[in-house]
Amino acid sequence: MHVHMVGNGVAGSGGWLRLKGWHRALAGFMVRQLGMPASALEGDLEKIYSEHLLELVRESSLDAIVLLAHERVHDPDGTPREDLGSMFVPNDVVLDLAQRHPEFLAGVSIHPARRDALEELDRCIAHGAVLMKCLPNCQNIDPSDRRYVPFWRKMADARLPLLAHTGGEHTVPIVNKKFADPKLLGTPLECGVVVIAAHCGTRSGAFDRDYFDDWAAMLREFPNLYGDISAMVSLNRCAHLKDCRQPEIEPRILHGSDFPVPVLGHRLWLNGSVEHESFRRIRKIDNPLERDFQFKKALGFSDEVFTRAEKLLRLT
Ligand SMILES: [Zn+2]
């Protein structure tokens, strides 16, 4: 339900990838982790990456994945900020891939301040988008800004869910730290949008604020709020993974992977969440999509966590 498309626009998609310093080193590490040559970053990355991903899905337990576009940073008045952010994956990249392969479902990404935001939303819905993804703290989106209400209402009318990043982030540069707060999602929730808070508001780095309890409190107020456990089989984000199995929380959890973010279960073994034998068996699985799924199965997540997306996504 949460897999990133990555590309560099070499073949003319209009997308771009600009990596500096730590983000460049991290991207090289991720690419090698996936079994792709580091030179893929300079080649036709969209093609190399999507073909590799298709193989991983086909050999995993998953039927399909939601593949995410990545919007550019915008000012609140709708001016695109090409000087900020590290990548742009246009919606057509994921819409086209989804049209060609049943294993891919299109998760589009639209900054609601864009001057053509409503038209782009209509266009993406007509072309088969199953959800809309944004990273408020990285793309400079305040979801509680009243100017975006018509955008949220249109999403609600079309039954298009919002997958919104919540909590800290270290893979993509931060533009406005405050927008990591899940409480800002109250506005789209009140407009009737099904909102999936990516990572359930958990922290990414040791100094980030942890919003997990704020998010969990909002579940009682908003029946249309969910959370995903993407990137939570990791060294840095796994602290609340077991809490997500609580009986009042688990019915609101969806599986997501956050691929290509690495899957590392060491801390789950060290803190006793996963038995040593399971840890040893699962860590040997090469396919990161399958490894992530198996770690979550070993933690005891119910089958519904892995199939709930089918009820929420805009599937036609
Ligand atoms: Zn993500």
Side-chain angles (χ1 to χ4, degrees), residues 63-78:
D63 295 321
I65 56 165
V66 178
L67 192 58
L68 304 173
H70 191 95
E71 176 64 291
R72 292 149 296 181
V73 181
H74 284 69
D75 286 333
D77 69 359

Side-chain angles (χ1 to χ4, degrees), residues 190-263:
E190 279 159 13
C191 292
V193 180
V194 165
V195 177
I196 304 159
H199 325 301
C200 306
T202 54
R203 69 177 82 202
S204 172
F207 302 106
D208 290 338
R209 210 187 127 183
D210 184 346
Y211 293 102
F212 181 81
D213 292 339
D214 301 83
W215 167 78
M218 286 173 73
L219 291 177
R220 289 190 284 276
E221 193 184 341
F222 297 106
N224 47 338
L225 175 63
Y226 295 81
D228 87 14
I229 46 173
S230 62
M232 282 168 78
V233 175
S234 62
L235 303 180
N236 55 332
R237 225 189 256 279
C238 72
H240 286 295
L241 197 47
K242 256 169 64 179
D243 299 331
C244 293
R245 288 214 46 226
Q246 288 171 19
E248 68 281 16
I249 295 183
E250 195 176 306
R252 312 287 280 279
I253 295 292
L254 287 88
H255 170 55
S257 82
D258 214 9
F259 183 96
V261 171
V263 179

Side-chain angles (χ1 to χ4, degrees), residues 252-282:
R252 312 287 280 279
I253 295 292
L254 287 88
H255 170 55
S257 82
D258 214 9
F259 183 96
V261 171
V263 179
L264 297 165
H266 299 70
R267 232 180 105 187
L268 295 172
W269 161 53
L270 291 170
N271 72 16
S273 307
V274 172
E275 309 244 310
H276 190 224
E277 203 179 308
S278 308
F279 172 71
R280 279 186 40 190
R281 171 180 62 84
I282 299 167

Side-chain angles (χ1 to χ4, degrees), residues 9 12 14 24 28 44 84 138 141 143 159 163 167 195 198 278:
R24 172 141 216 108
D44 183 355
L84 300 172
C138 302
I141 301 168
R159 292 179 300 99
L163 172 62
V195 177
S278 308

Side-chain angles (χ1 to χ4, degrees), residues 2 45 238:
H2 181 153
L45 186 57
C238 72

